[in-house]
Amino acid sequence: MTSRTTSSIIRNLCRGGVMFSIALLAAISMASPVVLAQTAPGARDSGDRLILLGTGGGPLIREKRSQPSSLLIVEGKLYLIDAGVGTVERLVKAGFQPEDIDSVFLTHQHMDHTGGLADVMQFRSLTPSAKPFRVYGPPGTVQLVQAAQSYLGISQRVFASEGLVQGPSPTTATLSKDIVADGIVLDDGVVRVVAGENSHYRFKAGTPSSGVDKSYAYRFETRSGTITFTGDSGPSAALENLASGSDVLVSEVIDIDGALRMAPLGLSATARKQFAIHMGKGHLTPEEVGKLATKSRVKSVVLTHFVPGRDTEHDADAYVTGVRRYYTGPVLAGEDLVEIPLAAPR
């Protein structure tokens, strides 16, 4: 079976919301015939699993790939990692509602990772039974949530004055916490979440973000296995350590040449140079993903946050091929709404 044939099969199956297991990823990696079974969406008790809600990186609006967002379901609890524009729509297509989410983890404050957070918050606030949930993220998260609460509070006031809503106020429905250092962020008895600063940002001294803003990767340790999300990051020894021995590495991936063609029109020569530096050093090419996966001894790789990831890209062969130059384990080129079951609790 050729790489292109395998990629086409995966792509067609992904559109049906098929669930992939780690064993299946290994089978696909070896180009072996496999049988896939579709499962009913939206069930908390259907086992621990990862659902890729949005797999397109950068401030582009696409039909096939929503902006970055992933849903990790562990022992019936829902953890949302990033919330780009389109998160709510993809969440509903996966069979869940905003009020089902227990916690949100933002990797960094770029708008393609946060632009859909207010949507999640507003629809929760219209549900009387919605319990407060917490949003974790790097510095700026508390400010971001407070700004969203203020924005949504106007509509909530109007609805409430007409007696049309009975849900909790956005001000009380969402709690937030800034993560200011590496280490354990959450340990709720179901998951232990460890944050590690990555190398996505490079601020010049004296800029407003210098010494303030951070970009994080997250390691989720569960009884079903360990899943590490790179977030947006360039090559990083700290990221290698954080991902060490993970069962699943969920990694961003970027085609540098394609990304540079995305540069906004009208940029000055200086701004274009900074854009090129950011794309080249603050992101992971397929080859760098492969090196990271090998150095970290991860068991499988799931690619997301595709850049350019345009609708005109017909398959992800080039991304996968680049990873496999340096990594021999199973690699899955993710698409929106792909579900990946984790192992049974140990």
Side-chain angles (χ1 to χ4, degrees), residues 26 41 46 78 80 111 143 152 168 185-186 218 275-276 280 295 320:
S46 292
L78 274 60
L80 185 69
M111 64 182 182
Q143 181 182 1
L152 297 172
V185 176
L186 173 69
Y218 292 109
F275 183 84
K295 290 178 180 178
V320 173

Side-chain angles (χ1 to χ4, degrees), residues 240-255:
E240 292 171 14
N241 292 332
L242 186 72
S244 180
S246 295
D247 294 283
V248 184
L249 176 69
V250 183
S251 178
E252 71 139 320
V253 67
I254 182 173
D255 168 12

Side-chain angles (χ1 to χ4, degrees), residues 270-309:
T270 299
R272 185 171 290 275
K273 181 179 178 181
Q274 288 303 118
F275 183 84
I277 292 173
H278 171 74
M279 289 297 178
K281 295 185 178 181
H283 289 280
L284 293 169
T285 64
E287 290 76 14
E288 291 295 348
V289 174
K291 293 175 184 178
L292 167 63
T294 295
K295 290 178 180 178
S296 298
R297 305 180 308 282
V298 302
K299 295 181 177 63
S300 61
V301 171
V302 174
L303 299 177
T304 187
H305 192 282
F306 288 84
V307 175

Side-chain angles (χ1 to χ4, degrees), residues 69-83:
S69 184
S70 299
L71 184 67
L72 186 61
I73 304 172
V74 182
E75 298 181 30
K77 299 190 73 172
L78 274 60
Y79 305 90
L80 185 69
I81 299 89
D82 282 329

Side-chain angles (χ1 to χ4, degrees), residues 106 117 121 135 140-150 170 174-176:
L106 302 177
L117 179 62
M121 292 170 57
V135 180
T141 296
V142 171
Q143 181 182 1
L144 181 75
V145 169
Q146 289 174 344
Q149 289 170 333
S150 178
T174 308
L175 309 173
S176 57

